[in-house]
Amino acid sequence: MIKREENASAGTDFRRVISVILNIMIVAFAVTGTVIMFTHRGDGKGLTSSGIENLKYFTVLSNELCGITAALWLVFELMGKKFPVLPKLAAAAAVGLTFLTIAAFLAPMYPDLNLYENANLWFHLILPLTGIAEFILLKTPDRIPFGYAVISALPALIYGACYLVNILINGVGEWPDTNDWYGFLNWGYPVGIGIFAVIVLMDFGMAALLRGVNILINKPGRKGKQSE
């Protein structure tokens, strides 16, 4: 019994150290990407703009959310308190959605654009993969409610709604001064709205997947605890 408790404690401490390291990395990657984003003058290629204008991209906002959430998690950890798992799930799902959207949709759709250079290297690849790994390995004391996966899709839903409202109010415009910077309305409003619906579902699906894998990773610890 004592040996089992010692093994469980050692495993928990190891997971905690890994989580601390990964969250520090996420904060560092977010700061690095942000500094490059604000100091590198965008030319509209690679889905980049200049300075604060980059904050119109969900791909950027999702990474900033993940970086801020990681920083808050570290503060809570230093204070000896537990950070809520919902923001971590929402942030990980958001950067996971960013990774999938770039790799599976935007990169093939715009083959002439380099979507993995400068700040985009950090925001489209390095930080999202780190954020996904961090949440999967995150030690969660309780089973994550399925409803959290549904709530985690709200960032994509809110962003999509604001994106479409902005176009309805200000018009699509013409490149490079377009309000449809992702080109989702190239095939008309019905297709564009359909694309956003799929993206929201992808965000939910990513959150549900991360939730499931996290539960699977934490399951042996819960079993051990219950058997004691």
Side-chain angles (χ1 to χ4, degrees):
M1 181 71 70
I2 295 177
K3 186 176 181 180
R4 181 183 299 173
E5 291 176 350
E6 291 176 348
N7 290 338
S9 177
T12 300
D13 290 342
F14 178 74
R15 292 271 296 280
R16 177 179 176 274
V17 171
I18 294 297
S19 290
V20 169
I21 292 173
L22 288 176
N23 276 281
I24 292 175
M25 290 173 62
I26 289 172
V27 173
F29 294 160
V31 171
T32 300
T34 301
V35 170
I36 295 174
M37 179 181 73
F38 278 100
T39 56
H40 180 267
R41 184 174 178 81
D43 54 7
K45 296 181 179 180
L47 295 178
T48 57
S49 299
S50 297
I52 198 170
E53 191 178 351
N54 283 286
L55 295 178
K56 68 184 181 182
Y57 298 114
F58 180 84
T59 48
V60 172
L61 293 174
S62 63
N63 279 269
E64 299 294 353
L65 173 63
C66 193
I68 292 171
T69 304
L72 291 174
W73 186 92
L74 288 169
V75 171
F76 271 65
E77 191 69 17
L78 286 173
M79 296 172 61
K81 298 180 179 180
K82 294 298 181 181
F83 187 73
V85 71
L86 177 56
K88 294 293 289 181
L89 176 58
V95 292
L97 173 62
T98 286
F99 173 77
L100 284 179
T101 301
I102 296 297
F105 182 71
L106 294 177
M109 191 169 89
Y110 300 111
D112 295 333
L113 300 182
N114 189 343
L115 300 178
Y116 296 104
E117 67 177 1
N118 299 318
N120 285 341
L121 174 63
W122 301 93
F123 288 162
H124 292 172
L125 182 65
I126 297 176
L127 196 155
L129 291 180
T130 307
I132 290 171
E134 188 276 329
F135 185 82
I136 288 175
L137 297 174
L138 182 66
K139 182 66 178 177
T140 51
D142 301 309
R143 185 183 180 90
I144 303 172
F146 181 77
Y148 282 13
V150 178
I151 298 174
S152 294
L154 285 178
L157 179 62
I158 294 172
Y159 180 86
C162 293
Y163 189 99
L164 290 174
V165 168
N166 178 50
I167 291 176
L168 290 174
I169 294 175
N170 300 308
V172 174
E174 296 182 0
W175 190 268
D177 299 318
T178 177
N179 290 313
D180 183 23
W181 44 83
Y182 282 126
F184 290 149
L185 300 181
N186 288 344
W187 303 276
Y189 280 93
V191 174
I193 294 174
I195 291 174
F196 276 117
V198 171
I199 288 176
V200 173
L201 289 175
M202 286 174 59
D203 199 5
F204 161 71
M206 176 61 69
L209 177 62
L210 291 175
R211 168 188 174 271
V213 176
N214 178 271
I215 289 175
L216 184 63
I217 292 294
N218 283 287
K219 191 173 182 179
R222 290 203 309 274
K223 282 185 175 180
K225 187 175 181 179
Q226 290 173 356
S227 63
E228 294 169 9

